[in-house]
Amino acid sequence: MLWLPPFIGQRPVEEATTTKTNGVCFLGDPELPEYKQHKEMLYDIRRELKVHIVDSSASLADRLDLLDSSLMCFVCDSPFGGIRRQTLEAFAAGCVVLFWPTDSDECVDLGLKDMENVALVDSKAALVAKVNFLQRHKDQALHIAYSGRSWLATLESQASKYLDAIIAPPFG
């Protein structure tokens, strides 16, 4: 049986954003072999931006607590191929998702637009620049977070329609 987690229906983005106490978090474990090419950069970024890192051994509750308290979340899905669940959790928590994607064309296909509903990054310099910009422009950060949640709601709705079509074939 396929189960799709209910990402939507949490606190409004405006409320979620005003209660954020951390700047940037990173979901992932830099020690994983998948991050080999990004490991040094991840540690550099952690020092420069004071990024809070929660590795894969952390409980779901710990990850969600960190997301709820962070204004921005950096996710590097480039070693994995596709968008992972934790990336969707970051959108759902109302974070500005700083996303290093596997494939830029896939982002276009999914409807992810840089500085509209996500902040796309492909280097340390791009990440630092976007974090600094969004920290100075809170209204833009709020807009991206809200648009990111709307994108996720649309994605969830589309997935639900496809699932309904598979589960409940038309009578006739």
Side-chain angles (χ1 to χ4, degrees):
M1 175 179 217
L2 179 64
W3 177 76
L4 295 175
F7 292 115
I8 309 304
Q10 299 172 7
R11 295 184 290 172
V13 173
E14 293 82 2
E15 179 185 328
T17 308
T18 58
T19 61
K20 307 259 186 204
T21 55
N22 293 325
V24 183
C25 70
F26 172 73
L27 292 178
D29 184 355
E31 295 299 325
L32 287 176
E34 291 88 354
Y35 288 120
K36 184 178 180 180
Q37 70 182 36
H38 299 298
K39 183 177 176 178
E40 186 176 322
M41 181 199 66
L42 290 172
Y43 283 113
D44 284 349
I45 290 168
R46 181 180 188 181
R47 285 188 295 272
E48 191 168 335
L49 295 175
K50 297 184 178 133
V51 175
H52 301 276
I53 294 179
V54 173
D55 65 30
S56 54
S57 66
S59 70
L60 176 62
D62 288 343
R63 284 196 324 264
L64 294 178
D65 284 346
L66 181 64
L67 286 171
D68 283 342
S69 67
S70 298
L71 180 62
M72 293 177 245
C73 181
F74 171 51
V75 229
C76 182
D77 287 356
S78 62
F80 298 96
I83 295 178
R84 296 178 299 151
R85 177 188 171 123
Q86 67 185 22
T87 303
L88 299 176
E89 290 169 353
F91 278 107
C95 294
V96 173
V97 177
L98 302 154
F99 185 53
W100 190 320
T102 301
D103 181 0
S104 297
D105 292 336
E106 181 183 30
C107 290
V108 172
D109 292 344
L110 289 171
L112 292 173
K113 297 177 184 161
D114 189 30
M115 300 305 280
E116 179 61 33
N117 54 14
V118 68
L120 297 175
V121 297
D122 60 1
S123 67
K124 176 186 171 189
L127 175 65
V128 171
K130 287 190 179 181
V131 167
N132 289 333
F133 174 83
L134 292 168
Q135 286 176 336
R136 288 190 314 271
H137 298 91
K138 300 282 187 194
D139 56 334
Q140 180 72 17
L142 182 62
H143 171 75
I144 293 170
Y146 180 79
S147 296
R149 267 183 129 183
S150 295
W151 170 82
L152 183 61
T154 301
L155 185 68
E156 187 177 44
S157 173
Q158 290 170 347
S160 178
K161 286 179 193 175
Y162 292 125
L163 187 59
D164 289 345
I166 294 169
I167 293 174
F171 293 101

